[in-house]
């Protein structure tokens, strides 16, 4: 695991947007899986600002996960979020947007459709993801098993509480979501994880100091991934900051 320690959230946005651009410049037909959440928004803003001369016409975009049951026009539908914050401003054609549907009449079929599309494109060249306060990755929540492929996930109470800030009330936060699984995460050629703020410090400390892999701490699975870059701001490093700065790249 490679670490990059940034000064703050806006600095992290610079680093993440540069990494995405480097990926597209080195492989113009890249298959990229992108996240929602509060962490990537400034990175998407910087990406849009820096992309005037970048050709995205052959890039395919997927998303990591999607709530079940929200209308696609809902502010918190992840499809809507990604279109608004990054895909439409970058001018990504609909044919390049391979997004999960929140209103699919048959979520199991939607999972199978997503797997078939991922397979058709040969998996992800780059997967970008935030980190949940409970160690989840996408909607792979702490559990007693790992899911390999796209699946229906029960959203934990802690994640519903964390995400309630994006809704008018906790009651509005869906109880289920569709999420990519660990097989597609581990097969991504490059996985970039990002975390900012002291809310993430305890999960980062645990990731850095423990060495076990366990489904009750899903992010621990990434210890098996051969090419992970963890991009953090100083607040997210918590008490591990010295270790991270010494073993990683401090920008
Ligand atoms: P956040 O969410 O970027 O809003 O902190 C990350 C996550 O829950 O995976």
């Amino acid at each position: 695991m490679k670490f990059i320690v940034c000064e703050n959230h806006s600095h992290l946005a610079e680093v993440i947007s540069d990494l995405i651009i480097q990926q597209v410049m080195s492989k113009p037909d890249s298959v990229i899986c992108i996240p929602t959440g509060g962490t990537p928004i400034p990175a998407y803003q910087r990406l849009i600002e820096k992309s005037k001369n970048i050709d995205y016409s052959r890039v395919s975009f997927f998303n990591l996960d999607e709530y079940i049951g929200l209308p696609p026009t809902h502010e918190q539908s992840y499809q809507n979020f990604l279109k608004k914050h990054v895909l439409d401003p970058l001018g990504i054609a609909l044919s390049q947007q391979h997004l999960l549907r929140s209103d699919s009449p048959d979520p199991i079929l939607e999972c199978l459709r997503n797997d078939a599309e991922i397979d058709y494109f040969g998996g992800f060249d780059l997967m970008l993801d935030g980190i949940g306060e409970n160690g989840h990755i996408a909607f792979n929540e702490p559990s007693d098993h790992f899911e390999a492929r796209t699946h229906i996930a029960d959203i934990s109470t802690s994640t519903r509480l964390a995400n309630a800030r994006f809704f008018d009330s906790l009651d509005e936060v869906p109880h289920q979501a569709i999420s990519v699984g660990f097989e597609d995460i581990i097969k991504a050629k490059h996985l970039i994880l990002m975390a900012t703020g002291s809310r993430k410090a305890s999960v980062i400390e645990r990731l850095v100091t423990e060495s076990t892999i366990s489904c009750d701490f899903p992010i621990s699975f990434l210890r098996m991934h051969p090419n992970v870059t963890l991009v953090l701001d100083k607040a997210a490093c918590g008490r591990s900051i010295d270790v991270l700065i010494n073993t990683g790249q401090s920008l």
Side-chain angles (χ1 to χ4, degrees):
M1 207 174 275
K2 181 178 157 199
F3 302 102
I4 298 178
V5 180
C6 303
E7 215 35 60
N8 51 35
H9 200 161
S10 59
H11 187 198
L12 177 135
E14 288 298 327
V15 170
I16 295 289
S17 52
D18 283 346
L19 288 168
I20 298 171
I21 288 172
Q22 277 166 27
Q23 172 69 42
V24 173
M25 291 186 71
S26 67
K27 188 169 186 287
D29 62 348
S30 287
V31 182
I32 302 180
C33 187
I34 52 173
T36 56
T39 313
I41 290 179
Y44 291 153
Q45 284 163 351
R46 288 300 290 136
L47 184 68
I48 294 158
E49 286 159 12
K50 291 185 210 172
S51 288
K52 304 222 167 8
N53 297 316
I54 308 294
D55 180 7
Y56 289 96
S57 63
R58 293 169 60 208
V59 180
S60 303
F61 286 94
F62 284 74
N63 60 341
L64 284 166
D65 46 17
E66 176 61 281
Y67 287 119
I68 291 178
L70 290 185
T73 49
H74 191 286
E75 186 77 3
Q76 284 308 312
S77 138
Y78 286 175
Q79 179 179 4
N80 192 25
F81 178 105
L82 290 172
K83 281 177 174 295
K84 175 175 155 191
H85 287 287
V86 61
L87 296 175
D88 289 348
L90 281 181
I92 307 302
L94 277 182
S95 58
Q96 298 167 253
Q97 301 183 15
H98 306 277
L99 304 178
L100 289 159
R101 293 173 206 145
S102 58
D103 63 340
S104 168
D106 187 338
I108 294 177
L109 272 186
E110 182 63 358
C111 295
L112 295 172
R113 185 197 62 75
N114 196 53
D115 287 344
E117 283 211 54
I118 295 171
D119 292 344
Y120 176 81
F121 282 91
F124 304 122
D125 293 300
L126 173 65
M127 178 182 271
L128 206 66
D129 197 4
I131 299 175
E133 288 169 51
N134 63 0
H136 72 219
I137 173 157
F139 272 120
N140 293 280
E141 295 277 29
S143 135
D144 58 4
H145 63 281
F146 288 119
E147 291 276 359
R149 302 225 58 199
T150 311
H151 57 282
I152 297 174
D154 292 329
I155 307 175
S156 68
T157 304
S158 61
T159 299
R160 290 186 66 247
L161 283 166
N163 290 1
R165 69 192 195 278
F166 299 121
F167 291 81
D168 289 337
S169 74
L170 177 61
D171 288 345
E172 282 185 29
V173 184
H175 287 265
Q176 286 194 310
I178 297 176
S179 175
V180 295
F182 281 101
E183 180 179 329
D184 295 301
I185 296 173
I186 204 92
K187 283 183 177 168
K189 294 189 184 74
H190 187 192
L191 179 60
I192 298 175
L193 294 172
M194 55 190 154
T196 57
S198 55
R199 283 188 304 121
K200 303 290 169 71
S202 65
V203 74
I204 299 301
E205 281 172 22
R206 191 170 167 196
L207 182 66
V208 171
T209 54
E210 293 181 3
S211 64
T212 51
I213 293 169
S214 124
C215 41
D216 70 10
F217 188 49
I219 198 170
S220 63
F221 184 85
L222 303 181
R223 296 197 174 98
M224 299 207 304
H225 195 292
N227 189 16
V228 180
T229 306
L230 197 57
V231 187
L232 307 164
D233 72 357
K234 286 188 169 169
C237 295
R239 287 174 300 179
S240 303
I241 190 153
D242 293 335
V243 178
L244 287 165
I245 285 178
N246 289 333
T247 53
Q249 198 181 341
S250 182
L251 297 173

